[in-house]
Each structure stands twice: as C-alpha cells, then as structure tokens.
Amino acid sequence: MERAEKIELSLVVLAVGGVAMWAKRLPDSLESGSLLAIAALALLGQGFVRDGWLLIRRRKAESAEHHEEARCMCLESTIGLGGVLAGVVLTAAGLPLVVPLAAWVWPVAAALVWSVGFLIKDVVIQWSPWKLRRVKDHGSIWVRWR
C-alpha cells in the first residue's frame, strides 16, 4: 500500500470517529431518499478530496505524462451521482419510507460508505468495449464519449 493510501485510510478512520462522536446529535430517522443522497454525497466528497490532492500533487510534479484517451467513467463518481439522483427522485416522489437510525448505525454506515469508496477508487467503467478496469490515478485519462 502506498503512503497516500495509508493516509486516506487514516483519514477514513478519523472521519468515522468524528461521525461516532456526533452520532447522538444526528437524526434518529430519515426518509429513504434523504439517506441515499447523504450516503452518495459522502462517497462523492471522499472522491473530491482525493482528486483534489492528486491534482495538487500532479502540479507539483510537473512531469510530462502520457494521457490515455478512453470511453470510460470513474465507478465511484458514477455510483455517487446515481445515488444522489435516485435520492432526489425518491424524495421528490414523496415516498414516505422512513428508515429508523440508532446512534450506532451512523458510524457503521460511514465506515461502509468510505470503505467502499476506498476499494473502488481506481476502478473505471469503460463502455467501448464494455468492461471494468483498474487504472491507478485515472484522472490522467482524457474521457471521450465517441
């Protein structure tokens, strides 16, 4: 595991600890759409922080990198955006499915979401041809739609 990955895992542990400390102040129930959107935003937030750090690191390196062109999208972003949209649709549809949330559920859910984010951070969905690929630092890929 690289140093950056160890740092990210440490930050996940710290963030889950923070959620655990605040868990009693968080709602004891949420509608399913809101819960889905919150989880998706947490996943997107993790990717945003990681990608920001990678951009800063890449600028400091200022190396002439080879840029790959591919028809693909980051799996983490795809799941995150899909989750936010599904949450908004569920909320807008007025589906009143309320999910009870005990205080211990918040840190467990946070650990689950951010662990999945860590595990899929290097995976891209390629659509021509269809396949899942693991690409380290896939921010260097130039996405082509056609």
Side-chain angles (χ1 to χ4, degrees):
M1 200 176 335
E2 291 182 10
R3 181 175 178 249
E5 292 172 326
K6 290 177 184 176
I7 291 170
E8 182 176 353
L9 280 178
S10 299
L11 291 174
V12 165
V13 169
L14 286 172
V16 169
V19 169
M21 285 177 33
W22 283 86
K24 292 189 182 208
R25 294 186 177 124
L26 296 172
D28 57 359
S29 66
L30 281 175
E31 288 186 7
S32 58
S34 298
L35 185 60
L36 182 60
I38 289 169
L41 286 170
L43 182 66
L44 286 172
Q46 177 184 13
F48 178 75
V49 170
R50 182 186 320 107
D51 291 347
W53 182 82
L54 287 172
L55 282 172
I56 291 169
R57 190 176 86 175
R58 189 178 304 141
R59 282 191 183 154
K60 286 182 180 178
E62 293 185 30
S63 62
E65 297 179 17
H66 169 71
H67 290 281
E68 175 186 353
E69 291 185 20
R71 296 178 184 125
C72 62
M73 183 144 179
C74 172
L75 180 62
E76 185 179 29
S77 298
T78 303
I79 292 172
L81 182 58
V84 169
L85 292 176
V88 168
V89 166
L90 285 172
T91 302
L95 296 175
L97 179 61
V98 177
V99 179
L101 299 165
W104 63 268
V105 172
W106 286 102
V108 170
L112 180 66
V113 167
W114 289 324
S115 296
V116 168
F118 180 79
L119 293 174
I120 66 172
K121 70 181 178 342
D122 295 328
V123 179
V124 294
I125 302 170
Q126 183 173 311
W127 55 84
S128 182
W130 282 100
K131 64 180 172 179
L132 291 178
R133 293 176 43 201
R134 183 169 292 278
V135 180
K136 197 79 167 164
D137 187 15
H138 53 268
S140 62
I141 295 177
W142 290 348
V143 177
R144 299 290 182 219
W145 296 103
R146 293 182 180 183

